[in-house]
Amino acid sequence: MSLADNSAPRRARLSLARALPNPWSLGAALIAAVVIAPILAVLWIALFPTENIWPHLISTTLPRYLGNTLKLMAGVGLLAGAAGSGAAWLVARYEFPGRRWLEWLLLLPLAIPAYVGAYALVDFLEYAGPVQTGLREVFGWKTSRDYWFPEIRSMGAAIIVLSAALYPYVYLLARNAFREQPGSADEVARSLGQGAFARFWRVGLPLARPAIAAGMAIAMMEAVNDFGTVDYFSVQTLTTGIFSVWLQSNNAGGAAQIAGTVLALVIVLVLLEKGSRRRMRFFNLSSRHRPVARTALRGATGWGASLACVIPFGMGFVLPAWVILGHAIDNAQAWADPRLWQAGVHTLTVGGIAAVLTVLGGVFLVYGVRLSGRQLPRLLLPVSTIGYAAPGAVLGVGILIPLAAVDHALADTIEAVTGIDIGLVLAGSAFALVLSYFVRFFAIAQGAADAAMARISPNLARAARSLGRTQGQTLREVYVPLMRGSVASALLLVFVDCVKELPATLLLRPFNYETLATRVHDQASLENLGGAAPAAVLVIGVGLSAVGLLARANR
């Protein structure tokens, strides 16, 4: 047979291989579909509910839920933005007592969930707490009728607690932005006679606006996601409305309609943040520039700057950690409760499995998209991050309702064939929790994998392929060793977020299944802060490990 005769079938096989989708690309598309499916399910259930209560919601509770949510978002965004950007400016531009310590201590509130801060604040300021007790002893007051004290469980307190817990998002991004600004801009402002505040307001703040806007958007989205704080402070938001309509009124369609409203609100917020950055861009015209030299603040001014940084750190970390740790020490017997350690085992198991699967899925998705080389798979990367913007309660609706339907269909089919009722295998187990964590925090793993893979030269992969390595072997032997640090960091960050996640866990956990987060919430809801303290201490300890990693990565 001639060479031409042999080459024809070979060309046909190559053409067929090019026409068929790459298995890695198919896997990437499947992972992206899993991430996007709960969001689509929420929209579908909201548009086609079994019982349409939309007119009833609009005429009764929805305006109150929406109004409170908008107030909460605005308050948290403004307060967290002011505290975060102000502290970042002081740390980046000035030398004052304790600056080197405060630069990293200001990140510690990320280790404490906002709902823990809410329990601690109420315990500290309530009628029987140390503040009001001390006031009565000092001034001789007998009852609360003898003096006025602000209402603790209120919208204002919820805004303060959430802002104290979330300002580090703004601080971290703003600090990096202020550091990267050229010293020439500051020098020009000085030469024009601008004072310290004018340089901050007219030069530093506008140049850092994209970073500050991104941090504020994250803080506002986390405020929408919060359930533990607003529920404890009796503030009715869209998130609490989902719980009320679904669990108390037993109306899944109504819960999905409220969840759809939350999702629309988050999407509008994301679009506004991206639009503001698109309309205002700043470029560094020089490849080499001098950083801004820090100005030394002495005397009362220096100590005032220290105090300005200590206040958010104290509200976000010192106060809740001190109150919770005190209760944990005073209630040492609570550490021996077997339910605490069972909740810890559940947390480690579910969070660990979810973290591993999420990171593996993120690496697989990024690698599959890179292998495809086509435009459509590349669109999967930004779309697959939508889960992080969706609140946990929204994902709970989008996961549990379809999963329960699949479970019932599967159970009915098996019972019809075998006569055995297997019950709810998916929705009635921890599988739903793992899936919700996978969807919610997939953006963290995907972002870390994408950034790490982008730093690896494609020539290394080509060399491995030329030596006979398959695509899977190239990933395992070339990419994974070079990405080990980023993958480990993503694994820890996803695990910590799984440990702290409350709304999705409350909705999706199996019956009588506790994690550390739900145990803290359940005990605090019963006003048993002593029983909640040990679990809260463990959650804080896990969070501190992630903050330490974050601080190390941003030196």
Side-chain angles (χ1 to χ4, degrees), residues 311-322:
I311 289 175
F313 163 64
M315 286 293 299
F317 182 80
V318 176
L319 175 61
W322 174 61

Side-chain angles (χ1 to χ4, degrees), residues 477-494:
E477 298 176 13
V478 176
Y479 282 101
V480 171
L482 296 174
M483 296 167 56
R484 187 177 293 114
S486 297
V487 169
S489 299
L491 196 66
L492 178 59
L493 291 175
V494 172

Side-chain angles (χ1 to χ4, degrees), residues 35-36 38-39 225 263 266 382-392 394-395 436-443:
V35 175
I36 300 169
I39 308 299
N225 177 61
L263 191 61
V266 170
V383 173
S384 63
T385 62
I386 192 173
Y388 192 70
V394 174
L395 293 179
S436 69
Y437 295 158
F438 180 91
V439 175
R440 176 91 168 90
F441 305 118
F442 186 79

Side-chain angles (χ1 to χ4, degrees), residues 266-284:
V266 170
I267 291 174
V268 169
L269 179 62
V270 172
L271 293 177
L272 288 175
E273 187 270 328
K274 290 186 178 296
S276 68
R277 286 191 289 166
R278 186 180 299 113
R279 291 192 300 269
M280 192 175 223
R281 295 184 178 182
F282 303 95
F283 300 95
N284 180 25

Side-chain angles (χ1 to χ4, degrees), residues 359-360 363 367 448-449 452-453 455-457 460-461 464 469-489:
V359 171
L360 290 177
V363 172
Y367 190 60
M453 208 167 284
R455 294 193 295 266
I456 300 174
S457 172
L460 295 176
R469 298 296 191 271
T470 64
Q471 292 172 341
Q473 290 172 333
T474 301
L475 174 63
R476 185 174 63 253
E477 298 176 13
V478 176
Y479 282 101
V480 171
L482 296 174
M483 296 167 56
R484 187 177 293 114
S486 297
V487 169
S489 299

Side-chain angles (χ1 to χ4, degrees), residues 4 116 309 463:
V116 174
C309 293

